[in-house]
Every structure is written in structure tokens, then in C-alpha cells.
Amino acid sequence: MRSICFYFQVHQPYRLKPYRFFEIGEDHQYWDDFSNRSIMRKVAEKCYLPMNALLLELIEKHQGRFKVCFSLSGTILDQMEAYAPEVLASFQRLVATGKVELLSETYAHALCALKSESEFRDMVGKHQQRIKELFNGYTPKVFRNTELIYSDKIGKMVYDLGFEGVLTEGAKHILGWKSPNYLYANAIEPKLKVLLKNFRLSDDIAFRFGEPKWSDYPLTTEKFVSWINQIPANEDVLNLFMDYETFGEHQWAETGIFEFMRHLPEAVFASSDFGFATPSEVIGQVAPVGMIHVPTPISWADEERDLTAWLGNDLQDEAFDKLYQLEARVKRSKDPEIHRDWNYLQTSDHFYYMCTKFFSDGDIHAYFSPYESPYEAFINYMNVLSDFILRLKQEEEAAVGMLV
């Protein structure tokens, strides 16, 4: 039986509060607690709680034949504990069924794989420890890098950390004539298996589902199953990867997205030769058809499927470089609050808000940003970073003073 692999990214950043220049050196509290709590509560009610309840219902109804996997960022786990413990409990119930796989990732949903292998290792280790603490000793076997960012080199780093597989985008400029509906291997370390997102069918659910102007609107389970039945019989796996907030937040309940998911497993079982599998199961059951060569990093963002959503202009590059110039100094710090803020400042969303794309994907960037403009996002971030640097300097000077 061929497999459908459902993967959901679950992430919320810690958003910065408006931080003015004159606050540098005076105010060391950077995070907008009110905004972070209110957004977390809103998304919990619209997406996390109802969708988790639905998935548990489907797992029980289909006696474990329906399976999914999640990647839960460290920042979302921290916010669940602080603002919505019932959401964390609902994820714990799902994982306890044994039919839900958890993936590993960087703790802060960071871009560190592009800049620092040592910080990447530290971030992954922190995330693994957090998962183990919250999910009864669970140890992920498969990795998902931030926003599916991947290259041959990143894959080698992932393998060296002990993972069996990695998820990434089935980008057209990488695949060429190849299909994403196979299992592949890393080009440097063939023992690492690579699962590629089928972006067309994934985006039909994630982006086009509730769009009345879409030529295939409305999307029904019967229509969707008819599409997957057109996949050639020798193609082993259909990877449907998307933000979990697709359900109820990006696609409101009124679009019928919950009912679509409620009836999809039954339609798949009744009218196709597909079943459902987790990434670890796919890796254990399917042989790679060959290596996939990804010499430069790809992602699942925007039309280009590259890094320009986060590192595509001078604002982003300056903020990114200035941040990682601090790595060695932060690692010498003994202050737990500095380490917490260092983690949260690395979250990719801060750089996403600075994106200056105004054409093909500009509306998407504006939708997710709490700022009026990318320039406002940059100035706010750099003000915070200036204060953070000042705190590092003060700690270093105090340490020197103690030695004198």
C-alpha cells in the first residue's frame, strides 16, 4: 500500500514589543507578553484545540490506521506552558496514541544552520531535551529544519546528529523532471533519507482551499482523492506538508476545512490504494530511488523556494550578521536571561518581518507581520539587539572586575 504522510508545522514566535531608541540601556524586557498571550489563546481556540480533538477522533475511529506527524518548535512549547496548558495536554494525548510522530528541529525555529554548526547542534539538543521532558521521554528520529530549509550540507549535519531522515520542499528547480512522490537520499550521506513535499497538493489544502476564485473551488474529499489516484502507481509516497494553523486560522472553520479533514481518511481508505504513514514508517518501508542534489539551500517559502524570505535584503543581512557575531560572547555568559533572549532573538520570524518583497508574495509577508513596514521591523529589532549587546558588555566588565 502506498502512503500519505501528513506533516504539520506548529510554531509561534515570541514577538518583540515596540522598543524605542531611548529605552536602550534602560529596559531589558523585550517581549510583548500581552500580544504573545492573546495570539496564542486565539489560535488555540480557532485551531489547536478543535483540530487536535478532530485528529484524536480520527485516530480512534480508524483504529490507528490514520497517522500524522508534528514539528513543535520550542517557542510554541514555551507559550503553551505559559498561556495554554490545555493545548499542550491535547498534544500529549495525541502522542500517547502511538500514531502521532514528533519531529526534531531547532529549539527557537532559528536559521542557525545557515551560519553556525555549533549553535545548530546546541539548538537541536535543547529541542530534543524539551521534547523528552514534555512527552514522556520521547526521542525524535526524523528532523525538520526551520521552514524546511535544507541543502546537502545541512543534511550531512542532520545525519551527524543521529537522525534517520529529514523533510524538505519538493522545489521544482531542484527536482527538474523528477517526482516528489518518492523517497530520496542525501547526496553527501546516502544513509540520510529525504522526504519531499508535494507542494501542489499540499498548497491546494493550505492556501487555495477557501478561495472562491480558484478554478477547482470548492475542494471536496472526493475531488482530492481523485487527484491522488492520478499519481502513477509506482510512486510510493505523497507528502502533504503544511502549517498547522491552516486549520481554523488561515482557513477559517466556515470554509469547511475541518469537515474536509474529518472525511478525508474515510475517502482515502474507500477509494484509493493509499494509507497513512509517519515519516519514520516511510523510511522503514520504502527504498530510496536515488540521491537528491541540493547544492544551495531551499525552503518552502514563497514562489522562489529559497532563502529570500529571511535573507533577501540588506536589512535582513545586517541584522542576521550582527546577531551571530555575538555567539561566542553569549556562550561565555552565565546569565540565564541572556541565554533565553539569545534563543528567542534567533527566531526566523524576526527576519521574515523585514522582507521587502512587494510583488508575488508581499501580501503573505504583510499578513504575518505585526509591523507597519519592514523598516519598522528592522529598527525595532536593532534597538533590542543594541540593548542586548550592552547587557553582554556589562556582564563581561563585571566579570573582569571580579578578577582584579
Side-chain angles (χ1 to χ4, degrees):
M1 178 179 289
R2 297 188 288 168
S3 297
I4 295 173
C5 181
F6 258 120
Y7 150 74
F8 303 120
Q9 170 182 287
V10 191
H11 167 64
Q12 291 292 333
Y14 274 91
R15 296 161 188 85
L16 295 167
K17 69 182 183 182
Y19 194 91
R20 307 297 191 268
F21 176 80
F22 61 80
E23 295 175 284
I24 298 171
E26 302 294 330
D27 183 2
H28 305 321
Q29 301 301 319
Y30 309 142
W31 311 105
D32 190 339
D33 294 333
F34 176 79
S35 177
N36 291 323
R37 184 186 187 282
S38 62
I39 291 172
M40 180 67 204
R41 292 303 316 174
K42 181 190 74 168
V43 181
E45 296 299 326
K46 293 179 67 176
C47 170
Y48 300 148
L49 290 172
M51 192 60 184
N52 282 3
L54 175 57
L55 293 182
L56 185 61
E57 173 190 321
L58 292 173
I59 290 169
E60 293 173 348
K61 175 181 178 180
H62 296 289
Q63 300 179 326
R65 291 191 298 157
F66 178 69
K67 305 167 187 178
V68 300
C69 78
F70 291 103
S71 187
L72 300 157
S73 71
T75 57
I76 190 70
L77 292 171
D78 290 350
Q79 291 189 46
M80 286 179 192
E81 275 200 315
Y83 308 132
E86 73 276 26
V87 174
L88 178 59
S90 68
F91 276 107
Q92 290 168 331
R93 285 192 293 273
L94 281 172
V95 174
T97 66
K99 305 302 176 183
V100 172
E101 181 170 1
L102 295 180
L103 306 183
S104 183
E105 65 162 275
T106 60
Y107 186 89
H109 200 77
L111 303 173
C112 48
L114 303 171
K115 196 72 170 179
S116 169
E117 184 170 353
S118 63
E119 182 62 18
F120 178 70
R121 288 175 174 272
D122 287 350
M123 275 264 186
V124 174
K126 289 173 188 174
H127 186 263
Q128 287 178 300
Q129 183 60 37
R130 196 78 167 109
I131 292 293
K132 186 175 293 186
E133 291 169 356
L134 295 176
F135 293 92
N136 196 30
Y138 192 101
T139 301
K141 299 177 181 178
V142 177
F143 190 80
R144 188 295 308 252
N145 197 25
T146 303
E147 305 296 331
L148 297 188
I149 292 172
Y150 174 82
S151 68
D152 297 335
K153 181 181 176 182
I154 292 172
K156 179 62 165 61
M157 289 162 53
V158 168
Y159 178 79
D160 289 343
L161 289 173
F163 295 102
E164 300 174 357
V166 65
L167 278 60
T168 191
E169 174 70 25
K172 289 185 288 187
H173 67 279
I174 293 298
L175 279 169
W177 56 268
K178 298 176 183 175
S179 168
N181 304 323
Y182 291 105
L183 186 66
Y184 291 90
N186 176 266
I188 299 175
E189 180 43 75
K191 292 180 182 178
L192 181 78
K193 308 306 185 293
V194 183
L195 290 87
L196 301 177
K197 171 187 166 186
N198 183 310
F199 69 83
R200 184 179 67 82
L201 291 174
S202 297
D203 292 354
D204 285 342
I205 299 173
F207 295 112
R208 291 182 281 273
F209 183 87
E211 177 49 64
K213 295 180 181 178
W214 180 33
S215 61
D216 285 301
Y217 179 86
L219 180 58
T220 64
T221 54
E222 293 79 12
K223 185 183 295 184
F224 194 78
V225 171
S226 73
W227 291 345
I228 70 174
N229 281 335
Q230 295 172 24
I231 295 173
N234 62 327
E235 299 186 8
D236 302 304
V237 57
L238 170 61
N239 296 311
L240 299 175
F241 301 166
M242 61 199 72
D243 284 334
Y244 199 38
E245 293 80 12
T246 293
F247 302 94
E249 175 64 15
H250 304 161
Q251 304 290 342
W252 290 4
E254 291 79 3
T255 66
I257 191 72
F258 288 104
E259 290 307 303
F260 174 83
M261 278 301 297
R262 186 184 306 279
H263 297 291
L264 182 61
E266 186 175 356
V268 168
F269 293 135
S271 304
S272 79
D273 63 348
F274 280 89
F276 294 88
T278 64
S280 289
E281 290 175 334
V282 171
I283 289 168
Q285 296 168 4
V286 177
V289 295
M291 293 185 293
I292 188 74
H293 293 269
V294 188
T296 58
I298 59 173
S299 77
W300 71 353
D302 298 345
E303 183 65 26
E304 298 88 353
R305 291 342 196 238
D306 60 10
L307 303 181
T308 53
W310 308 276
L311 300 174
N313 63 43
D314 291 342
L315 305 178
Q316 294 167 315
D317 293 343
E318 181 178 345
F320 188 69
D321 290 342
K322 187 107 174 189
L323 176 69
Y324 281 99
Q325 287 170 7
L326 305 175
E327 180 185 351
R329 296 172 66 184
V330 171
K331 283 180 164 46
R332 291 193 295 267
S333 172
K334 306 298 183 184
D335 186 342
E337 291 190 359
I338 281 181
H339 285 276
R340 178 204 63 191
D341 291 342
W342 164 251
N343 284 330
Y344 293 167
L345 284 169
Q346 290 185 65
T347 299
S348 64
D349 302 67
H350 302 306
F351 305 98
Y352 190 85
Y353 302 149
M354 301 175 200
C355 185
T356 51
K357 291 183 180 180
F358 297 116
F359 297 102
S360 60
D361 298 292
D363 289 343
I364 295 175
H365 288 262
Y367 171 84
F368 286 106
S369 178
Y371 298 98
E372 290 294 324
S373 73
Y375 309 100
E376 181 184 321
F378 171 75
I379 292 169
N380 202 65
Y381 185 85
M382 296 306 283
N383 284 344
V384 167
L385 198 58
S386 295
D387 184 81
F388 184 75
I389 293 170
L390 185 60
R391 288 165 61 198
L392 278 174
K393 182 179 179 181
Q394 290 171 343
E395 183 186 16
E396 290 162 350
E397 290 174 346
V400 171
M402 292 176 64
L403 294 174
V404 174

